[in-house]
Amino acid sequence: MLEEIAIENLGVIRSARVPLSDGLTVITGETGAGKTMVLTGLNLLMGAKADPQSVRPGASSAAVEGRVRVSGRDAVLGRVDEAGGEVEDDGTVVILRTIADGRSRAHLGGRAVPQGVLAEIAEDLFTVHGQADQLRLRTSGKQRDALDTFVGPAHQRVLAAYRAAWSERGGLLTEITDLEARGAERAREVELLRIGLEEIERVDPVSGEDAELQALIERLSNAEGLRTAATEAHEAVAGEDADGARENAIALVERARRALDAAAHSDAALGALATRFAEVGYLLSDVATDVAAYVDDLQADPAGLETAHNRMAELNALTRSYGETIDAVLQWASDAGLRLLDLDDGGDRLTSMRGRVEELDGELNRLAEILTAERTRGASDLATAVTNELHGLAMGGAHLVVTVDRLDQPGPFGADQVTFLLVPHPGAPERPLGKGASGGELSRVMLALEVALATSGGAAAARTAETPRSTFVFDEVDAGVGGRAAVEVGRRLAQLGRTTQVVVVTHLAQVAAFADAHLVVTKSSDGEAGASDGDDGMITVTGVREVTADARVRELARMLSGQDDSETARTHALELLESSVVGR
């Protein structure tokens, strides 16, 4: 529900704050005062394209700000959160549109958003009806939606079940088509996976084997050099000449230990050093033993080297095709095995999915029959309800016909085509809405339809005290009517305002008398230099104010006679106000 609009420098409006009632708010004013600028501002809040020329002459920018109550609107709340906007503690969100330097910007809950986001949430919050906004009545889909709403919540639940089944069926058919189209590709993939797995199974690699084998090949390839190095090291540590003339490292360390040990009785420090030399001797003896064992174990093995090279060649063939290392090759084999299971299961999946599609076809046929029966029943009731409303709207000879035709092929909303036909007067042929009715007639048909929907049993059943209100905006719904018909238009708008928020731009006092809140758009010249709307060079400025009590009587009198000081008009205005209270 829209609580208020604040407008700055839009068209002829310099600054205006427009409060809106929960029920019926009417906007009136003299011709050319700028009533439509209020609707222009509202359209901007709903994501309409901005016209840079709409900035007030002499101003550098224009802004429209709206405060909308969105409590209970889960879809809207989700979209605000998704956009990063913030909802106020009182359940309202601020929408802002600015126009400056030829560019328009949109903000939702304090965050900049594309204007398309505003259009998205507006679909859930507002319905605008004007001479150029009759799409809701002209398209078959919108007519079907209106009939479904009229039939009621139980019907809506059946429709939701049908929609869910239709969506599931569509997803399955897409997947089946994909599986069938990729059959040859899947077969080739299966063959390649099996060839790879067979090759890996034949080689039978072991995790880390390539690194170990590389180390073995390096060792066997350099056996002689390794033996020479180890032998020289052993000779240096523990070797001796044939005549025993050369002392090795072990002998030299032992000689040093003995020398220190002999003098240790004179200085404890030398005793400690002798102990350390003894430790070094033990280490040298161990190293000498290990080096000798290494030399004994190191044997030239040409056959072993060839075997290692051959095995390494097999492993390299795997790593060239399936991974950089043997561990990567083994991981590929694991993944390939799982993929094969998935691919081999394709046939079973196809069979299962085709079976599910058959089940869904049966369910869709069953639900479609229910939808058709309920729509057919509701069509007659809706046509009667709208026709009754039309009789009070200066269309006494008109009646609405609602047809439900069975389609050859079902669609996402069932197997029906819903069509609204209007007979504007007795003897006239039935014609689709929008082709045989004037703009004023369409507006009244739309009003009659909205009243019928708002007051239907289905709508009443779905409505609770916590149900969020929608906002309906009517522009020139009273075009071409007057007298008693105008009173009936006002009565029905007030009736609609009991369950929804209604904003109406009107030039009829009979309609304005039924308002819960009455706003008047007034114009004056502000004396600024610049572009002007008149011949005196003065810029026209528009303001918006709410009128109550005697001020409202004067406005109604002006609407009736063109003068707000006419006693006759004031008397008539008071009568209208009194009769509107009784007529509610």
Side-chain angles (χ1 to χ4, degrees):
M1 191 185 76
L2 187 62
E3 292 191 344
E4 67 176 11
I5 307 174
I7 300 174
E8 299 287 340
N9 297 322
L10 184 67
V12 295
I13 299 179
R14 171 189 282 174
S15 179
R17 184 166 296 274
V18 183
L20 298 173
S21 167
D22 288 357
L24 172 61
T25 298
V26 299
I27 301 173
T28 66
E30 295 181 4
T31 300
K35 298 188 295 296
T36 56
M37 277 296 108
V38 177
L39 294 184
T40 298
L42 180 57
N43 284 328
L44 287 172
L45 296 180
M46 293 189 292
K49 184 178 180 180
D51 180 5
Q53 300 300 318
S54 62
V55 177
R56 189 176 69 87
S60 60
S61 64
V64 181
E65 180 181 282
R67 181 174 293 275
V68 186
R69 184 171 300 281
V70 294
S71 302
R73 298 280 187 182
D74 292 340
V76 175
L77 290 170
R79 196 66 182 92
V80 173
D81 182 67
E82 183 181 325
E86 182 176 338
V87 177
E88 304 290 340
D89 293 339
D90 60 358
T92 62
V93 65
V94 175
I95 302 173
L96 174 66
R97 286 292 297 277
T98 59
I99 307 171
D101 301 323
R103 298 182 60 186
S104 167
R105 291 177 175 82
H107 290 78
L108 177 64
R111 293 296 297 271
V113 297
Q115 70 179 55
V117 173
L118 301 187
E120 289 177 20
I121 67 170
E123 291 183 0
D124 196 56
L125 295 172
F126 306 103
T127 300
V128 177
H129 295 296
Q131 297 287 356
D133 296 288
Q134 304 299 338
L135 291 179
R136 197 164 175 268
L137 292 177
R138 292 178 179 177
T139 64
S140 179
K142 294 299 183 181
Q143 292 171 7
R144 182 198 59 240
D145 291 343
L147 178 57
D148 288 338
T149 300
F150 181 81
V151 174
H155 173 76
Q156 296 277 3
R157 287 191 290 271
V158 175
L159 179 59
Y162 180 95
R163 296 273 292 146
W166 179 268
S167 178
E168 182 183 354
R169 179 181 181 273
L172 287 172
L173 289 177
T174 299
E175 192 170 354
I176 289 171
T177 300
D178 182 62
L179 287 174
E180 292 175 341
R182 295 177 55 231
E185 180 184 339
R186 292 166 65 86
R188 287 192 298 272
E189 185 179 358
V190 167
E191 182 64 20
L192 291 174
L193 290 173
R194 285 179 175 160
I195 290 173
L197 288 173
E198 289 172 0
E199 184 178 359
I200 294 171
E201 184 178 358
R202 177 183 59 77
V203 175
D204 192 22
V206 177
S207 176
E209 181 183 2
D210 49 347
E212 294 176 3
L213 196 57
Q214 184 62 47
L216 176 60
I217 290 173
E218 186 72 19
R219 182 173 177 234
L220 292 177
S221 297
N222 297 279
E224 192 59 35
L226 295 173
R227 181 184 292 106
T228 299
T231 299
E232 289 181 0
H234 184 268
E235 288 294 327
V237 173
E240 59 184 30
D241 295 338
D243 57 2
R246 182 171 65 84
E247 289 184 293
N248 57 42
I250 293 176
L252 291 172
V253 170
E254 178 60 20
R255 184 150 57 105
R257 184 195 67 77
R258 287 198 299 267
L260 295 176
D261 194 47
H265 65 278
S266 300
D267 190 345
L270 291 180
L273 292 173
T275 300
R276 292 173 65 184
F277 270 113
E279 293 173 353
V280 171
Y282 299 147
L283 288 174
L284 287 172
S285 295
D286 289 342
V287 169
T289 300
D290 291 342
V291 171
Y294 179 85
V295 172
D296 291 340
D297 291 340
L298 186 62
Q299 302 293 332
D301 186 4
L305 180 60
E306 182 179 2
T307 299
H309 274 300
N310 291 336
R311 178 62 175 173
M312 195 65 180
E314 290 182 316
L315 297 181
N316 287 338
L318 295 181
T319 56
R320 281 194 299 270
S321 300
Y322 308 110
E324 294 183 356
T325 64
I326 289 301
D327 285 347
V329 170
L330 293 173
Q331 183 61 51
W332 181 93
S334 175
D335 295 341
L338 295 175
R339 176 60 177 162
L340 266 181
L341 290 175
D342 183 56
L343 293 172
D344 288 340
D345 186 47
D348 294 338
R349 287 173 59 203
L350 274 173
T351 300
S352 175
M353 286 190 292
R354 287 180 180 132
R356 177 57 180 161
V357 168
E358 290 182 3
E359 293 177 4
L360 290 171
D361 284 339
E363 179 69 3
L364 287 170
N365 287 334
R366 184 184 70 83
L367 293 173
E369 292 291 341
I370 297 174
L371 291 175
T372 298
E374 292 180 344
R375 284 169 175 161
T376 301
R377 172 181 55 80
S380 176
D381 294 341
L382 178 59
T384 299
V386 173
T387 298
N388 290 338
E389 292 297 326
L390 290 176
H391 289 172
L393 296 173
M395 295 180 69
H399 67 271
L400 184 72
V401 177
V402 181
T403 64
V404 179
D405 298 314
R406 190 77 174 186
L407 298 171
D408 295 334
Q409 295 293 331
F413 294 91
D416 308 313
Q417 178 172 319
V418 176
T419 305
F420 287 3
L421 303 167
L422 179 65
V423 179
H425 53 82
E430 299 175 354
R431 300 194 66 182
L433 287 180
K435 293 185 177 180
S438 66
E441 287 174 329
L442 277 176
S443 294
R444 278 173 276 167
V445 173
M446 168 272 301
L447 175 58
L449 177 62
E450 295 295 2
V451 172
L453 293 178
T455 57
S456 67
R463 195 162 48 242
T464 66
E466 292 77 26
T467 302
R469 287 189 168 209
S470 298
T471 298
F472 288 92
V473 181
F474 294 90
D475 184 18
E476 299 187 25
V477 70
D478 51 15
V481 300
R484 182 64 184 173
V487 173
E488 293 302 322
V489 169
R491 191 190 316 280
R492 280 156 178 79
L493 288 169
Q495 184 178 358
L496 187 60
R498 296 173 191 165
T499 55
T500 63
Q501 183 183 40
V502 181
V503 179
V504 180
V505 174
T506 183
H507 64 281
L508 293 180
Q510 294 92 328
V511 173
F514 283 88
D516 297 298
H518 188 161
L519 305 177
V520 179
V521 180
T522 58
K523 66 178 180 178
S524 62
S525 297
D526 64 0
E528 292 182 4
S532 65
D533 293 332
D535 297 331
D536 56 1
M538 308 294 280
I539 296 177
T540 299
V541 178
T542 292
V544 182
R545 60 188 176 88
E546 183 175 6
V547 292
T548 59
D550 188 61
R552 186 180 183 192
V553 174
R554 288 198 303 272
E555 172 62 12
L556 292 176
R558 183 201 64 76
M559 296 174 71
L560 287 167
S561 67
Q563 300 178 8
D564 60 8
D565 57 355
S566 168
E567 284 302 321
T568 302
R570 287 173 60 86
T571 300
H572 190 184
L574 287 170
E575 291 175 353
L576 283 177
L577 288 173
E578 292 173 359
S579 63
S580 69
V581 173
V582 175
R584 289 170 183 265

